[in-house]
Amino acid sequence: MNRQVHPDTRADGTYARDQRYLATRITADGRDGYHVEPGRYRLVAARACPWANRAIIVRRLLGLEPVLSMGLCGPVHDERSWTFDLDPDGLDPVLRIPRLRDAYLARDPAYERDITVPAIVDVPTGAVVTNDFRQMTLDLSTEWTAHHRPGAPDLCPHEHRDEIDELNEVVFREVNNGVYRAGRASTQRAYEGAFRVLFDRLDALSDRLARQRFLLGGTITEADVRLFTTLVRFDAVYHDHFKVNRSTLTAMPVLWAYARDLFQTPGFGDTVDLEQAKAHYYRTQPELNPSGIVPVGPADPGWTTPHHREQLGGRPFGDGTPPGPPPPSTEALSAR
């Protein structure tokens, strides 16, 4: 049988994500050549993408909207690049480019790797500074502190940093990327191995969250942001598209209640568009869905129904406060 195989799939059928990113950091001291400066940079994201969704959430929780603008790509792209097709003229209104690829080439005219979101672009030069989504949100929390809103939560508390880093690595390997390792596998053995690892980890996380409201205790941290963006897409996309169908999220009571708790927390659910997520996965991965047909369902399983997680105690924002409503701009979008 002639079948398409994703270029990041190894000879043994396992999926290995290309993690060679532009790792330049934007820091308070500018040690990589880029100082934190209000208005200088633009976050380019897409609501369809779970990795970009992390950056959108963290930016909103920390109240960085006034100092870090955001451009949004549409959910469907071609083999060359994410595009700004949501903007009326097909151009990002700040960068004045039709494709994110243009900003990557402004950084490196010989750039040959994937054009990925999220990316932070230096507006004066039009060049991508970084697309390292792993470090990006940590730096927004720890390097941009002078510009956090009053009441912003501490998403990376120093006393828990080692535990957060360790948990983030496990969740990335076995859940965030775990759904891809199952869905992108090209042999039965590789798929089943990734499937088992994924659900073993989800079961372990369920046990952990049965005892405490959030992953690190009673308040939200970076670790919760990273887990949420996979869970919120699980039933709408991954369960069928990536064949991770042992059970739906809604059939895992603890994780389903935890995901609803976060969804209903300002800064989480109001950044999500599951219709865009479905369009992205089902229309841009022809090796998995040759027809390009986007499923109509599933119906809303009840994201805004009571979750009762408050019975475990804790305060989502600790000593801080929730962010206000999304700004009344093209960035704002009702959650679906």
Side-chain angles (χ1 to χ4, degrees):
M1 179 176 63
N2 183 19
R3 60 183 177 181
Q4 293 178 294
V5 177
H6 192 274
D8 291 338
T9 302
R10 297 171 173 151
D12 65 356
T14 59
Y15 173 72
R17 179 179 297 277
D18 184 354
Q19 297 188 63
R20 298 171 296 161
Y21 300 110
L22 296 170
T24 311
R25 294 175 61 189
I26 301 169
T27 58
D29 63 6
R31 56 187 175 271
D32 282 2
Y34 292 92
H35 287 85
V36 170
E37 296 180 32
R40 176 176 174 179
Y41 305 102
R42 186 160 177 80
L43 171 66
V44 178
R47 295 190 188 276
C49 171
W51 320 103
N53 197 179
R54 297 178 180 185
I56 297 173
I57 291 170
V58 169
R59 171 179 175 268
R60 177 146 155 61
L61 293 178
L62 299 178
L64 291 173
E65 294 100 324
V67 297
L68 177 63
S69 69
M70 183 170 71
L72 290 172
C73 297
V76 179
H77 57 76
D78 59 23
E79 68 281 358
R80 289 184 292 167
S81 179
W82 292 86
T83 58
F84 294 100
D85 51 292
L86 297 178
D87 294 300
D89 55 0
L91 298 176
D92 179 87
V94 172
L95 301 173
R96 305 305 299 171
I97 56 175
R99 293 177 173 274
L100 181 55
R101 180 175 183 266
D102 297 333
Y104 277 82
L105 294 179
R107 165 69 182 264
D108 177 4
Y111 190 84
E112 296 180 343
R113 300 197 294 277
D114 288 344
I115 307 299
T116 62
V117 290
I120 296 182
V121 178
D122 179 42
V123 174
T125 63
V128 170
V129 178
T130 180
N131 66 336
D132 187 351
F133 65 86
R134 302 162 302 184
Q135 187 63 43
M136 187 183 298
T137 51
L138 297 174
D139 283 344
L140 292 179
S141 286
T142 60
E143 299 290 337
W144 290 68
T145 53
H147 305 288
H148 290 180
R149 65 177 177 84
D154 186 355
L155 298 176
C156 298
H158 179 73
E159 64 272 20
H160 294 299
R161 182 59 188 272
D162 289 345
E163 188 177 3
I164 289 173
D165 288 346
E166 180 180 352
L167 187 56
N168 283 347
E169 176 57 33
V170 171
V171 169
F172 169 77
R173 184 176 63 248
E174 300 181 2
V175 180
N176 303 143
N177 200 45
V179 293
Y180 286 83
R181 291 182 64 246
R184 292 291 197 182
S186 63
T187 66
Q188 189 71 30
R189 181 176 182 178
Y191 159 70
E192 291 185 9
F195 183 101
R196 286 192 296 270
V197 169
L198 168 66
F199 281 101
D200 284 350
R201 180 53 55 188
L202 289 176
D203 289 343
L205 290 168
S206 180
D207 290 343
R208 181 186 187 115
L209 289 163
R211 304 187 299 270
Q212 57 194 40
R213 189 168 178 182
F214 304 109
L215 287 172
L216 270 295
T219 59
I220 292 165
T221 67
E222 170 85 14
D224 297 292
V225 175
R226 296 192 181 200
L227 180 57
F228 171 78
T229 58
T230 296
L231 294 183
V232 77
R233 290 163 174 77
F234 199 90
D235 287 6
V237 177
Y238 303 138
H239 178 272
D240 292 334
H241 187 60
F242 282 168
K243 307 180 186 71
V244 288
N245 59 356
R246 188 199 74 178
S247 59
T248 59
L249 174 67
T250 57
M252 296 181 274
V254 173
L255 290 179
W256 172 223
Y258 164 79
R260 297 203 314 281
D261 189 1
L262 290 175
F263 187 92
Q264 295 170 34
T265 299
F268 284 84
D270 53 33
T271 71
V272 172
D273 187 323
L274 292 179
E275 292 304 313
Q276 287 199 26
K278 289 195 301 181
H280 170 68
Y281 284 94
Y282 283 100
R283 291 179 61 189
T284 66
Q285 298 176 357
E287 69 278 14
L288 300 181
N289 187 40
S291 70
I293 293 173
V294 180
V296 174
D300 179 359
W303 281 104
T304 60
T305 59
H307 52 75
H308 306 298
R309 295 283 294 176
E310 66 278 358
Q311 296 174 5
L312 292 169
R315 294 172 296 163
F317 294 96
D319 294 330
T321 58
S329 71
T330 56
E331 295 178 10
L333 187 68
S334 297
R336 301 183 184 183

